[in-house]
Amino acid sequence: MTGDLVGLLPQSNLAGILVIGQGAREHAILWGISKDAPRVPVYAAPGNAGIEDLAVCVPVSTAVDIARWAENKGRLLVIVGPEDPLAQGVADMLRRQGHVVVGPSRQAARLESSKAFAKEFMNRHHIPTASWRLFHSPEKLRDFVMSGTKWPLVLKQSRLAQGKGVVVAQNRDEALEVVADWNGVDHLYDDGVIAEECLVGREVSVHVLTNGEEYVWLPLAQDYKRLNARPNSPNTGGMGAYAPVNWLKVQERKEIDDEILRPVIRAINEERMLYRGILYVGLMMTGKGPQVLEFNVRFGDPETEVIIPIMDIPWTAWWWALGQGYLLETALPDPRGAAVAVVMASEGYPRVPVKGQIVEIDPSPGGLIFHAATHREKDRLIAAGGRVLAVVGLGSELEIARKQSYRQIQAISFPQSQYRNDIARDRRDSE
Ligand code: AMP
Ligand code: GLY
């Protein structure tokens, strides 16, 4: 029924669809939209070489440039992928121009762009999260580390850091190393550095679509944040993911709903934040119940690459409604099958990725390959960043999807790439 809405889009005074961003997440969002075959132009800003197949790529990426480009385009449906433009207020700017925008206001985006703001918000509304302290000078943080007795200790940059501003320090020496490393970082202490209790448990990524009053659950996903499985491996933007997560008990899902999601959405509503979009809550399932690690005001990457392909819904219609403040249904259907995404990254990622490698893809039937950082030079596909491809296997169950993803990787030529070979292997879904 809701699918019929997509056919109505051209009549509803819609001049086009714009997806903001340039990664595999945005490629997956566009793939979801393309299945609906909307009869309006589709744009991506700035997009990448894979996205070019699904949208007209426009070379703009800051909030101001995007708003300038969108000014005379008629009424657009805009879906904002990454956090940076949201933190710059792109959703407010585009809404003021009359566009229909999926993405929270700048004020609401602070739930992600300032971890200190998010922690205060959680404390104010009694939402379970690790205990924390904020420091505005390296000297004070150093004193705290010297006097600390509880290890590990989590150190977090309060401002946006592309998923790389968090270190779990196992002992005092490691924590001091982080303090020294971060000492030279420009203006870091203006926003501050958080020292936080280390939570123990299993992580899960919870995504909901919300209009700031109601929400619907998307399938649960699990992300692999570390570069590899070694204990001190660095945090990355995410090296792989799978969905759905089958190891959570019904009771645990209920706790997430009762203790986290409902109170969070109620608090967003009470604080009058304009929120139309995706809320992604990073949770740790601890012995004391679920606790919030972080809020993200957008889809996770690579979680999107496994969530969108298994949701058989008319994405365009959902985005169109959500941009106007509505959810089409009170719940989403169950996912269809399972998906596993393995990220292929350039050598040197996350520290200093070596760019410019030639990538050759031999497309195999059934799976999906979302581009994370690619561009085309003549007819060649070139790796243009750290995370380059998200290789997605699909199947009726996770094991089939996992095997398909790794089979696809074998058919990709990308010298010196790095990828994890344990994505979705330790998932305990049979328990
Ligand atoms: P964040 O950006 O806050 O989600 O942190 C990135 C990653 O660091 C999380 O996905 C966790 O793996 C880890 N992390 C963050 N906060 C904590 C915490 N309080 N206890 C344990 N691990 C944490
Ligand atoms: N996968 C983690 C993130 O998108 O922040």
Side-chain angles (χ1 to χ4, degrees), residues 25 83 112 163 205 207 223-225 236-238 240 280 294 296 298-303 387:
R25 166 182 49 210
E83 60 276 21
E112 176 167 2
S205 303
H207 289 75
D223 176 21
Y224 290 69
K225 287 215 166 78
T236 69
Y280 155 11
E294 62 168 344
N296 296 299
R298 36 97 196 158
F299 256 133
D301 189 355
E303 288 93 328
R387 293 190 292 173

Side-chain angles (χ1 to χ4, degrees), residues 274-416:
L274 179 67
Y275 208 116
R276 292 174 183 173
I278 300 118
L279 177 69
Y280 155 11
V281 188
L283 288 181
M284 187 75 92
M285 302 305 295
T286 73
K288 290 191 292 181
Q291 303 220 26
V292 177
L293 291 171
E294 62 168 344
F295 292 122
N296 296 299
V297 296
R298 36 97 196 158
F299 256 133
D301 189 355
E303 288 93 328
T304 315
E305 295 95 291
V306 292
I307 291 174
I308 290 207
I310 60 172
M311 288 307 288
D312 196 13
I313 59 172
W315 281 101
T316 315
W318 273 88
W319 296 137
W320 177 239
L322 186 54
Q324 295 176 84
Y326 303 103
L327 299 172
L328 287 183
E329 313 265 1
T330 49
L332 288 169
D334 285 341
R336 203 175 53 177
V340 173
V342 180
V343 169
M344 294 183 85
S346 298
E347 184 185 3
Y349 177 74
R351 279 195 157 254
V352 190
V354 179
K355 299 179 192 171
Q357 296 272 9
I358 295 170
V359 182
E360 286 174 81
I361 300 173
D362 188 6
S364 71
L368 291 165
I369 293 173
F370 294 124
H371 291 221
T374 56
H375 69 99
R376 224 175 276 283
E377 265 175 37
K378 301 204 177 94
D379 263 349
R380 286 181 160 166
L381 193 63
I382 310 287
R387 293 190 292 173
V388 176
L389 299 173
V391 181
V392 181
L394 301 169
S396 54
E397 37 186 279
L398 275 167
E399 188 53 23
I400 297 171
R402 187 182 78 80
K403 287 198 173 121
Q404 195 197 32
S405 176
Y406 284 104
R407 239 189 343 263
Q408 288 200 99
I409 284 188
Q410 298 315 314
I412 294 172
S413 152
F414 178 4
Q416 268 102 48

Side-chain angles (χ1 to χ4, degrees), residues 17 101 123 131 165 196 210 254 260 280 328 340 363 393 395 412 423:
I17 300 173
V101 184
N123 288 167
S131 59
E196 187 173 291
T210 180
K254 188 172 174 331
I260 311 280
Y280 155 11
L328 287 183
V340 173
I412 294 172
I423 306 297

Side-chain angles (χ1 to χ4, degrees), residues 88-291:
Q88 292 162 12
V90 80
D92 311 83
M93 291 181 205
L94 294 171
R95 269 191 201 106
R96 274 198 298 274
Q97 292 177 343
H99 302 297
V100 176
V101 184
V102 178
S105 63
R106 180 183 182 160
Q107 181 215 7
R110 294 192 72 204
L111 287 171
E112 176 167 2
S113 64
S114 166
K115 285 187 193 285
F117 175 85
K119 295 296 271 189
E120 279 162 9
F121 172 91
M122 285 188 267
N123 288 167
R124 217 164 31 244
H125 295 281
H126 311 290
I127 291 155
T129 189
S131 59
W132 64 293
R133 280 186 63 177
L134 179 65
F135 295 90
H136 282 290
S137 82
E139 294 75 27
K140 293 237 165 71
L141 177 60
R142 199 171 185 284
D143 289 348
F144 178 76
V145 166
M146 289 306 291
S147 65
T149 50
K150 273 203 179 159
W151 307 100
L153 177 72
V154 185
L155 297 172
K156 298 187 172 185
Q157 303 183 2
S158 180
R159 68 184 186 191
L160 289 178
Q162 315 259 287
K164 294 160 213 156
V166 177
V167 179
V168 180
Q170 297 299 327
N171 51 46
R172 181 171 294 135
D173 285 347
E174 279 185 28
L176 288 174
E177 216 173 290
V178 177
V179 179
D181 262 6
W182 288 358
N183 207 0
V185 183
D186 248 9
H187 295 294
L188 178 63
Y189 283 89
D190 295 358
D191 298 288
V193 171
I194 288 171
E196 187 173 291
E197 164 199 10
C198 186
L199 298 173
V200 181
R202 230 169 129 87
E203 280 186 63
V204 62
S205 303
V206 182
H207 289 75
V208 296
L209 300 177
T210 180
N211 59 3
E213 287 175 40
E214 301 159 300
Y215 60 95
V216 290
W217 286 64
L218 286 160
L220 293 169
Q222 182 149 26
D223 176 21
Y224 290 69
K225 287 215 166 78
R226 290 175 184 267
L227 184 64
N228 54 48
R230 285 195 285 276
N232 274 338
S233 165
N235 261 321
T236 69
M239 292 299 288
Y242 68 82
V245 164
N246 294 330
W247 47 262
L248 272 185
K249 299 186 186 80
V250 174
Q251 177 57 26
E252 290 173 310
R253 285 168 198 258
K254 188 172 174 331
E255 280 170 20
I256 294 173
D257 215 24
D258 293 345
E259 292 165 30
I260 311 280
L261 294 177
R262 206 164 313 119
V264 169
I265 302 296
R266 194 187 306 127
I268 285 176
N269 192 18
E270 270 172 29
E271 298 208 3
R272 299 191 178 285
M273 295 179 184
L274 179 67
Y275 208 116
R276 292 174 183 173
I278 300 118
L279 177 69
Y280 155 11
V281 188
L283 288 181
M284 187 75 92
M285 302 305 295
T286 73
K288 290 191 292 181
Q291 303 220 26

Side-chain angles (χ1 to χ4, degrees), residues 69-95:
W69 175 85
E71 207 161 10
N72 304 311
K73 290 286 174 303
R75 194 158 180 246
L76 298 174
L77 166 60
V78 185
I79 299 116
V80 189
E83 60 276 21
D84 281 326
L86 289 167
Q88 292 162 12
V90 80
D92 311 83
M93 291 181 205
L94 294 171
R95 269 191 201 106

